[in-house]
Amino acid sequence: MSELKFPPNFSWGVATSAYQIEGAAAEDGRGPSIWDTFSHQPGKTFEGHTGDVACDHYHRYDTDVDLIASLGVDAYRFSISWSRVQPKGHGAWNEKGLAFYDRLVDKLLSKGIKPHVTLYHWDLPQGLQDLGGWGSRDTTDCFADYADVMGRRLGDRVASICTHNEPWCTAHLGHHVGQFAPGNKDPQLAIQVAHHLLLSHGKALQAMRASGVKAPLGIVLNQSSVTAATQSQADRDSAERQYAAFVRWYMDPIFLKRYPTAPGLSIYPTVSENDFNTIAQPLDFLGINYYTRIWASESSPPVPAPNAMGVNDMGWETYPQGLSDLLRQIDRDYDLPPIYITENGFAGDDHLVGGKVADSPRIAYVHTHLAALQQAMEAGVDIRGYFYWSLFDNYEWNSGYAKRFGLVHVDYENQQRTLKDSAHWYSDLIRKGR
Ligand code: IFM
């Protein structure tokens, strides 16, 4: 495989999110979130799995940070459980919840690891869902208040704060497809939710800047390159539409103050005067999460995507070239701030055998994606760091614990952590790079 060479100041990290790892769902004053509600409804998640315990990270954060440090990474990306720090999403704050994140940040800093905070990774307080959730414009103001409080509390110690993780998932999977919390199936609502997420991002940035938060501020978007399966007009239109709905729907408002148009895109949100000015706040960085490409085929039966490099356990095609294509495309289309790859990872059919997990497909996945990243950097895209998703095997949303993305294997019977071969490989890569 190709040799990888990254600049000495390039940041190497691992990423997680609160509901996927913390557990302690009803402890120390935490309120319920929409994922607690959703995962406890019969039939919503794989075998009824919930995040009640997850990786028990709330109780094990101290030794978990030691584990992170042992990997040699210099950065850790995690999210705040909003309902842990503000149980209803409005009104009273929970000091015990806030203190947990203080302890986590301080422990990371004591180990020389830069904390990168995500404010919203899909777990809206149920108290706000009861008032209309992201479908209500009022939620955007609650989010700005929450961002302000967290920014004041942690902003002098953390390396970055991002508002949202993958707003497309919240809007589309949560409100159109209904596969994620809160489980709505309403395309018009989903588009309004997407608008409110963007608006809340803009308001949160304004609030944190007004409070003088020192940490760099940004947003994390999930993106893919899109390939038309054939050169037919229908496939090319479909590719244009899917790229607009997935990538441009979030990039255009932030960088160009408008929503995109594309063949077949017909649902737009209600937008109030000045919304685009609020949304288009200058960013200190942009986080990109990349896993696979989108294959656009309108044929019947559809033309299947080639899968010479295989698919992962989620059925997602391994297509590293898409990462490089995507980064060069957005670099051409927008005036971008520095970029971090805030997620990239592989779900594998991993097994703990004799104290080891042999996961060479994950190593190949990371290696080829880093080579693609290097290509984009050589082409001039300003990329400052890479976070592998995920540190641990964890709660993969509606797939429960059945899908394993971690560098570290978790045995959910006894919470034992075991470094997979990929973790050793990633550590070596980072140490040799330095
Ligand atoms: O586990 C998720 C994460 O929460 C958001 N990005 C994609 C990952 C893999 O599906």
Side-chain angles (χ1 to χ4, degrees), residues 16-17 20 77 121-122 165-166 169 180 222 289 291 312 314 316 343-345 347 389-390 394-397 403 405:
T16 62
S17 90
Q20 294 180 272
R77 174 173 179 247
H121 199 122
W122 310 351
N165 179 73
E166 304 183 348
C169 294
F180 281 7
N222 50 324
N289 295 352
Y291 287 88
N312 76 2
M314 306 285 284
W316 301 346
E343 285 183 29
N344 174 242
W389 182 272
S390 181
N394 60 40
Y395 182 70
E396 180 54 25
W397 307 110
K403 305 295 177 197
F405 276 91

Side-chain angles (χ1 to χ4, degrees), residues 7-60:
N9 56 353
F10 191 81
S11 201
W12 295 100
V14 286
T16 62
S17 90
Y19 190 70
Q20 294 180 272
I21 65 164
E22 283 182 3
E27 257 178 76
D28 287 346
R30 179 184 179 275
S33 80
I34 55 173
W35 266 97
D36 295 289
T37 309
F38 185 79
S39 65
H40 280 268
Q41 283 166 19
K44 298 294 188 191
T45 66
F46 176 76
E47 294 185 351
H49 291 179
T50 73
D52 288 359
V53 177
C55 302
D56 196 32
H57 173 72
Y58 185 74
H59 298 117
R60 294 165 195 260

Side-chain angles (χ1 to χ4, degrees), residues 237-303:
D237 284 354
S238 165
E240 191 182 335
R241 180 171 60 254
Q242 296 198 57
Y243 187 74
F246 196 63
V247 176
R248 293 183 56 207
W249 201 267
Y250 298 88
M251 294 290 274
D252 284 16
I254 291 174
F255 293 104
L256 305 174
K257 298 189 179 183
R258 62 176 188 231
Y259 282 112
T261 56
L265 269 193
S266 56
I267 304 182
Y268 287 84
T270 303
V271 176
S272 301
E273 204 186 332
N274 214 34
D275 280 2
F276 286 123
N277 287 331
T278 305
I279 292 170
Q281 297 302 307
L283 299 180
D284 298 321
F285 71 94
L286 173 67
I288 300 289
N289 295 352
Y290 175 89
Y291 287 88
T292 186
R293 71 170 153 182
I294 293 173
W295 183 254
S297 171
E298 294 291 298
S299 309
S300 180
V303 179

